[in-house]
Amino acid sequence: VVVGVVVISTSAEKLTATRVTQSSLYGGGLPKFAVDGDKDTIQHTRAPQGQAYPWIQLDFGQEVEITNVIVTNRKTNDCQYRLTCNLGCSACRQCTKTLAEAEVCGMDLRVGNDACVSELDHCEDNALCDRRYDADGPLFKADSDFTEDIKCGSPLRGRYLQLILPGRARMLHVGEIEVYGNPNPPPKTTVTVTTTTETATTNTLNNFLQAETKRAIEVLSDRIDDLDGANGKKIDDLTNNQDFLLAENTRLSALVKTLTSDNDRMKLQLEDLNDVVEALIAKLSSPTTKASSPSPSGSCTEIAPGPGECTSEVNDVSGDLQVKSCCGEVVVHSSTCSVAPCDTQRELDELKQRLFAPLETGEE
């Protein structure tokens, strides 16, 4: 356990500033009049409109320790109330703590190593020694010579003391600022305290954390391996499915090609069939058959065979005439005999051969 220890001096002496600056200047109110030992002379910041956050700063040239600050307010014309708020010498004499905490009135004393450097600087980085806001206090009363000894809550170290008036439209003028403390404070020391119990507890905790970290890493590694294996199997399955789908696609493509070829071939055969049927219909519509009128007894007169025809046989069956020939059989219901030409049967046989032979042999 490391503990920082600040050694506080017990004696206080008046500290001398090496340089005094302020945020702005009005008339002859130079900042040096705040440390010249004469409480009737005053420093003065911008007037009559004032400014936001006017300040005066004492620079001691090195870090000092400050315990208390004696401030003497302006003594004349009731203008000491400007240390409370606003610009008028007789206005706004009441500054409550609430208003002071809202930084619209009051007076701050700050100590630290951060310097105020410009008119726009609010000088709020250093530690607050104290804030005065009570208009009924010694700073505003003649019987106290408008003077008050302000003690910091605890001794503060820093190179600068700053007196600041928070808020807008403020005007700063004081008669004297006296600072007390130690011009050469002892250096800060650091004491290291180590206990065996705390060291052992720390080591135990470190060992536990290391073991838990190692176990967590091992569990995480196993989980990663499991995920890698599962993902690898999924990838293999997807690859196999992809190969199967590619093969099926190839097979289906070939099948589609074959079906397309068969379809084209059948279209050609249908076109041939259509041509043959049309020719046959045309021929049958003008037959070369011969006919004779039936005899008075109802029997058919034999038809003499013509070229390419065969001799016919005629039988009377129940009043109908049935004509048989070597080329086919014809039933006549109109008591008229006819014989089919033999070349017609021949053409039918040729048509059958022409249509069905290619299907049986697989030729186009």
Side-chain angles (χ1 to χ4, degrees), residues 17-256:
T18 59
R19 187 167 180 258
V20 184
T21 55
Q22 62 188 36
S23 58
S24 59
L25 180 65
Y26 174 72
L30 298 173
K32 67 179 182 178
F33 293 132
V35 294
D36 63 353
D38 186 350
K39 296 181 179 180
D40 294 324
T41 60
I42 61 171
Q43 55 76 227
H44 207 305
T45 59
R46 180 183 297 137
Q49 72 274 17
Q51 71 173 97
Y53 287 79
W55 52 264
I56 182 170
Q57 174 175 268
L58 279 64
D59 181 0
F60 299 99
Q62 64 180 27
E63 186 176 86
V64 297
E65 183 180 83
I66 297 175
T67 58
N68 60 298
V69 182
I70 299 176
V71 178
T72 300
N73 197 359
R74 178 176 177 173
K75 299 180 179 182
T76 59
N77 301 327
D78 281 343
C79 289
Q80 64 268 18
Y81 290 106
R82 287 176 176 163
L83 201 60
T84 300
C85 64
N86 287 352
L87 302 175
C89 285
S90 59
C92 191
R93 298 189 178 188
Q94 296 300 320
C95 177
T96 65
K97 182 177 181 181
T98 301
L99 291 174
E101 289 176 348
E103 295 186 347
V104 295
C105 66
M107 175 194 75
D108 288 350
L109 287 174
R110 292 185 179 272
V111 177
N113 292 315
D114 292 324
C116 298
V117 295
S118 73
E119 181 178 347
L120 300 178
D121 198 339
H122 289 185
C123 306
E124 297 176 310
D125 295 331
N126 290 328
L128 182 66
C129 168
D130 200 1
R131 171 172 286 179
R132 282 289 180 267
Y133 57 90
D134 186 4
D136 292 327
L139 284 170
F140 307 95
K141 294 183 178 181
D143 58 2
S144 64
D145 197 24
F146 303 99
T147 300
E148 184 172 1
D149 186 356
I150 302 172
K151 292 180 173 57
C152 298
S154 61
L156 298 176
R157 293 193 178 196
R159 175 176 172 174
Y160 304 101
L161 171 80
Q162 297 147 349
L163 191 158
I164 310 153
L165 303 186
R168 293 189 309 109
R170 303 296 303 276
M171 192 183 303
L172 174 60
H173 43 57
V174 294
E176 198 72 18
I177 300 175
E178 302 171 70
V179 183
Y180 290 86
N182 189 343
N184 299 295
K188 297 177 182 179
T189 59
T190 301
V191 178
T192 303
V193 180
T194 304
T195 63
T196 304
T197 302
E198 290 175 344
T199 302
T201 301
T202 302
N203 290 337
T204 301
L205 180 60
N206 288 337
N207 292 336
F208 171 76
L209 291 176
Q210 290 176 1
E212 286 298 303
T213 301
K214 182 178 179 181
R215 188 179 68 82
I217 292 174
E218 291 174 352
V219 171
L220 183 60
S221 297
D222 293 340
R223 180 58 179 161
I224 291 174
D225 292 340
D226 292 341
L227 290 175
D228 287 342
N231 290 335
K233 184 178 183 304
K234 290 180 179 179
I235 292 173
D236 291 340
D237 292 342
L238 290 174
T239 302
N240 294 334
N241 289 336
Q242 183 180 16
D243 293 341
F244 171 75
L245 292 175
L246 289 175
E248 284 296 299
N249 182 63
T250 302
R251 187 181 66 82
L252 291 175
S253 297
L255 180 58
V256 169

Side-chain angles (χ1 to χ4, degrees), residues 275-285 344 347-348 351:
D275 292 341
V276 172
V277 170
E278 287 181 355
L280 182 59
I281 291 173
K283 190 166 186 178
L284 291 177
S285 63
T344 301
E347 290 175 358
L348 289 175
L351 176 60

Side-chain angles (χ1 to χ4, degrees), residues 302-303 305 310-314 323-326 338-339:
E302 181 179 349
I303 301 172
C310 297
T311 302
S312 300
E313 295 181 4
V314 180
V323 180
K324 292 184 179 181
S325 70
C326 65
S338 62
V339 178

